Amino acid sequence: MDIRGFCQCWKWQVVCSFLLCSWGWVSGQLRYSIVEESEAGTLVGNVAQDLGIKRAELSQRRIHLRSEKYQRYFSVNQANGGLVVKDRIDRESLCGSSPSCLLQIEVVAENPVELFTLEIEILDINDNSPSFISNDHNIEITEAFTTPGAQFELEIAQDLDVGVNGVSQYTLNTNPYFSLIVRMERSSPQLILEKVLDREEKQEHHLILTAIDGGEPARSGTCRITIVVLDINDNPPVFNQSVYKISIRENLPLNTVILTLNATDQDDGANGEIQYIFGSHTSESAKAIFDLNQHSGDIFLIGTVDFEDMNFHELAIRAVDKGLPKLIGNCLVQVEIEDVNDNPPEISFLSTKTNIPENAQMGTVVGFISVTDKDSGKNGEVKLNVSPKIPFKIRLNKNRYSLVTDGNLDREETPQYTIELTASDLGSPPLYSKTSVTLEVSDINDNAPVFTQSTYNAFIKENSDPGTLLCTVSATDLDEGVNSDLVYSIVESQIDGSSVSSFVYIHSNDGNIYAQRSFDYEQIQVLQITIKVEDSGSPQLSSTVPRIYLHSGYE
């Protein structure tokens, strides 16, 4: 019997809508679709092409997946930018029986750093057959009293597949006593009595219930139904409500009673004694959290109620009397879970930079920050703050945080920053989380060398040998590395028509000044020279000491 109407077939598709501008990514969303169980190497889509990244730029941009959760299933081909299947994808293990299986994956492109979000929809294939919790189902029906048209609820079949691949119809083997209908609102098969049963004529009826899915080709599963014909117990238990709707807060203590059911039976004796049990429609996951006292009707907790795991449960409860045959009353208990603020925000910082140059402009992006909170409502709304009195701030753009510079950096003053990020939710009381980011400030050549003295005086006897050390000059540079490697030189000038370099020379690395010739006091008493020092940065910076006096004296 069909339980689905018209179903639209899905085709493999790639949905890609975005806007690119000359200054980079503005807005957009990549979305791909792929069927589960696709072979390794199957192309999902070309991420680089869809993001507008040219093939020639691929090696520089180094596109890779950021989402560790899904890296085992997908990878990016660095040669062509294609997103391909890496490992077996089982939709049911990823998304269970959810109608939609949509994976959120983040892609990082470097040089410059950009973060993109793409969605991959995993499409179902018909790789699971319908099955029943039990292969055998017994129903006891009273002879004579049960009239044609009476309905008996049967166990529904489970199918891990979804959509058209899920359970589509039920069939029953042909027999003169029973037929089958399906209650569309709950996809529940119902057994219909077509003629009065006579226990003396036949004590048992054996039926086969078959569940068939809508896949291509279709799969099926069966359940054996045994109808036991017994004597009269003419009043089933009746609940005071057919549906109970209650709300409870998550994290309630174990053994807390959340509801006491009440069913009545007009019969006397064993026919009016009631036991409460879970119906077949109650999921195993619900039974791991809730239990039922068979005698009192108390529903109580045996497991942790977690809003973030599941915020709604439905319990099918049966009230069964002790008559022969047993009669059953049914009700539904719908439990809504209310959120409490039990999850602190989670902070994730992404940056491919380990340092930032000290001449970085205001607003330079240092890294991206992701803040999530598993709670809902105000409990899941988050504020993000950065430690005060530092030249950095948080910038929010389209629900994405970034850490940017907010002042001038000076490596010589502060070579390293430890930035503390604090996230707090709006719950009551609020929950907090913190993380620290360490950032090195890299040097630029912004300091010229400086001589330790503005004037140097040296004395030398006349007729001293060439190569005699006259004096040593010294300079310092606040920069580091190559920007502080110093080179000394003599500024060219003329002395009595001769080049100053014919009188003295300087060692470029240590600043030692030596005589090039012997000095004659009668010709030169004082030799004034200018020394230049420059660093090895780019561009080079320099300074001079214009007054170095070399005094010659009598031998």
Side-chain angles (χ1 to χ4, degrees):
M1 176 102 25
D2 288 337
I3 62 171
R4 288 183 177 82
F6 175 79
C7 292
Q8 182 178 1
C9 295
W10 284 84
K11 295 183 178 178
W12 187 93
Q13 59 178 346
V14 175
V15 179
C16 175
S17 61
F18 54 91
L19 176 63
L20 295 176
C21 293
S22 59
W23 55 88
W25 176 267
V26 175
S27 64
Q29 179 72 58
L30 293 182
R31 181 168 178 175
Y32 303 102
S33 296
I34 189 169
V35 296
E36 63 173 328
E37 307 292 348
S38 295
E39 294 183 357
T42 299
L43 178 65
V44 181
N46 193 300
V47 175
Q49 177 180 314
D50 294 337
L51 291 177
I53 298 175
K54 298 179 180 178
R55 191 171 187 133
E57 300 172 346
L58 284 177
S59 60
Q60 177 183 350
R61 296 305 303 275
R62 295 196 298 276
I63 303 173
H64 60 275
L65 299 184
R66 182 191 174 207
S67 307
E68 295 182 0
K69 182 178 180 181
Y70 301 118
Q71 284 181 354
R72 61 167 289 192
Y73 300 111
F74 305 97
S75 63
V76 178
N77 187 311
Q78 297 298 313
N80 58 26
L83 180 67
V84 297
V85 174
K86 184 178 177 182
D87 198 1
R88 175 179 177 266
I89 302 172
D90 182 8
R91 183 190 188 280
E92 288 73 39
S93 64
L94 285 173
C95 301
S97 59
S98 174
S100 174
C101 187
L102 205 60
L103 309 184
Q104 298 282 342
I105 297 181
E106 290 186 329
V107 176
V108 177
E110 301 178 6
N111 300 323
V113 176
E114 290 182 288
L115 187 62
F116 306 96
T117 301
L118 61 86
E119 295 179 342
I120 301 180
E121 182 182 14
I122 308 302
L123 302 179
D124 187 44
I125 63 173
N126 193 25
D127 57 342
N128 293 281
S129 298
S131 63
F132 294 86
I133 295 176
S134 174
N135 293 329
D136 293 284
H137 183 55
N138 294 331
I139 299 177
E140 297 176 341
I141 303 177
T142 304
E143 66 170 335
F145 174 76
T146 306
T147 59
Q151 298 184 11
F152 302 89
E153 188 172 14
L154 300 178
E155 178 185 345
I156 63 173
Q158 307 290 332
D159 194 326
L160 294 178
D161 296 319
V162 298
V164 69
N165 294 324
V167 176
S168 174
Q169 59 178 320
Y170 293 90
T171 62
L172 188 70
N173 62 306
T174 303
N175 69 94
Y177 291 95
F178 297 95
S179 63
L180 189 69
I181 65 168
V182 176
R183 292 172 57 185
M184 298 302 296
E185 66 274 12
R186 293 177 58 190
S187 302
S188 174
Q190 304 288 312
L191 197 64
I192 306 298
L193 182 63
E194 295 293 339
K195 59 185 296 187
V196 174
L197 301 176
D198 185 347
R199 182 178 179 274
E200 288 69 32
E201 178 183 336
K202 190 172 185 178
Q203 296 184 8
E204 291 187 353
H205 299 264
H206 299 282
L207 308 173
I208 299 295
L209 176 65
T210 302
I212 305 171
D213 64 26
E216 192 66 38
R219 292 173 176 260
S220 63
T222 60
C223 174
R224 294 181 295 272
I225 301 173
T226 301
I227 308 297
V228 179
V229 183
L230 300 175
D231 284 331
I232 295 174
N233 175 22
D234 59 347
N235 288 289
V238 177
F239 287 94
N240 54 9
Q241 292 179 224
S242 61
V243 178
Y244 297 82
K245 296 183 178 181
I246 62 172
S247 296
I248 63 173
R249 292 168 61 86
E250 66 174 329
N251 300 329
L252 286 177
L254 297 181
N255 297 316
T256 298
V257 176
I258 63 169
L259 179 66
T260 298
L261 298 172
N262 181 38
T264 58
D265 193 314
Q266 296 179 8
D267 294 321
D268 293 327
N271 291 335
E273 295 180 17
I274 295 174
Q275 285 186 325
Y276 299 92
I277 61 173
F278 285 117
S280 63
H281 294 167
T282 303
S283 67
E284 294 300 317
S285 61
K287 291 179 183 178
I289 300 174
F290 305 95
D291 203 356
L292 179 62
N293 187 307
Q294 293 186 356
H295 305 291
S296 66
D298 289 343
I299 300 176
F300 58 95
L301 297 179
I302 59 171
T304 302
V305 181
D306 190 347
F307 173 88
E308 289 72 38
D309 184 35
M310 184 170 291
N311 60 14
F312 180 82
H313 298 274
E314 186 171 80
L315 311 176
I317 309 296
R318 290 182 175 181
V320 184
D321 64 26
K322 297 181 179 180
L324 290 175
K326 299 180 187 299
L327 296 182
I328 299 172
N330 296 283
C331 77
L332 283 178
V333 178
Q334 297 177 340
V335 184
E336 184 177 350
I337 310 302
E338 297 176 355
D339 185 42
V340 299
N341 195 23
D342 60 343
N343 291 282
E346 297 178 359
I347 305 173
S348 174
F349 182 78
L350 170 67
S351 177
T352 58
K353 298 179 180 178
T354 58
N355 56 55
I356 185 170
E358 58 181 324
N359 65 340
Q361 296 183 356
M362 294 270 287
T364 298
V365 176
V366 176
F368 297 103
I369 306 167
S370 174
V371 182
T372 57
D373 194 311
K374 294 179 181 178
D375 294 317
S376 65
K378 291 292 184 181
N379 297 332
E381 295 182 22
V382 178
K383 296 186 299 183
L384 182 65
N385 295 305
V386 66
S387 47
K389 298 180 181 179
I390 59 172
F392 299 92
K393 69 177 182 179
I394 300 297
R395 186 167 66 193
L396 178 61
N397 182 22
K398 295 181 180 178
N399 297 321
R400 188 184 300 280
Y401 295 100
S402 57
L403 182 66
V404 300
T405 55
D406 190 38
N408 295 323
L409 305 179
D410 188 345
R411 186 204 64 83
E412 289 72 36
E413 179 180 342
T414 307
Q416 184 187 80
Y417 289 93
T418 298
I419 304 168
E420 188 173 82
L421 302 173
T422 303
S424 61
D425 60 32
L426 302 184
S428 180
L431 298 180
Y432 301 85
S433 63
K434 294 183 179 181
T435 190
S436 293
V437 177
T438 300
L439 191 64
E440 305 288 341
V441 181
S442 59
D443 187 49
I444 64 167
N445 196 25
D446 59 346
N447 291 280
V450 177
F451 283 96
T452 57
Q453 296 177 219
S454 60
T455 302
Y456 290 84
N457 288 283
F459 297 90
I460 185 172
K461 293 181 180 181
E462 69 174 338
N463 299 323
S464 294
D465 295 334
T468 299
L469 176 64
L470 303 179
C471 71
T472 300
V473 296
S474 177
T476 60
D477 194 312
L478 294 177
D479 294 320
E480 66 176 0
V482 69
N483 295 328
S484 63
D485 292 341
L486 304 182
V487 178
Y488 299 91
S489 63
I490 297 175
V491 177
E492 184 59 40
S493 63
Q494 297 289 317
I495 301 176
D496 292 339
S498 298
S499 170
V500 67
S501 61
S502 67
F503 291 89
V504 295
Y505 75 93
I506 188 170
H507 195 284
S508 62
N509 292 329
D510 57 21
N512 290 336
I513 301 175
Y514 300 91
Q516 286 276 60
R517 62 168 70 172
S518 296
F519 289 90
D520 186 346
Y521 177 79
E522 285 73 24
Q523 292 183 352
I524 297 176
Q525 288 80 42
V526 178
L527 184 67
Q528 181 175 342
I529 63 176
T530 299
I531 301 299
K532 178 182 178 182
V533 63
E534 59 184 354
D535 59 32
S536 301
S538 180
Q540 290 181 313
L541 301 178
S542 64
S543 61
T544 59
V545 56
R547 293 181 297 278
I548 297 181
Y549 300 102
L550 301 177
H551 304 271
S552 63
Y554 289 110
E555 184 175 7

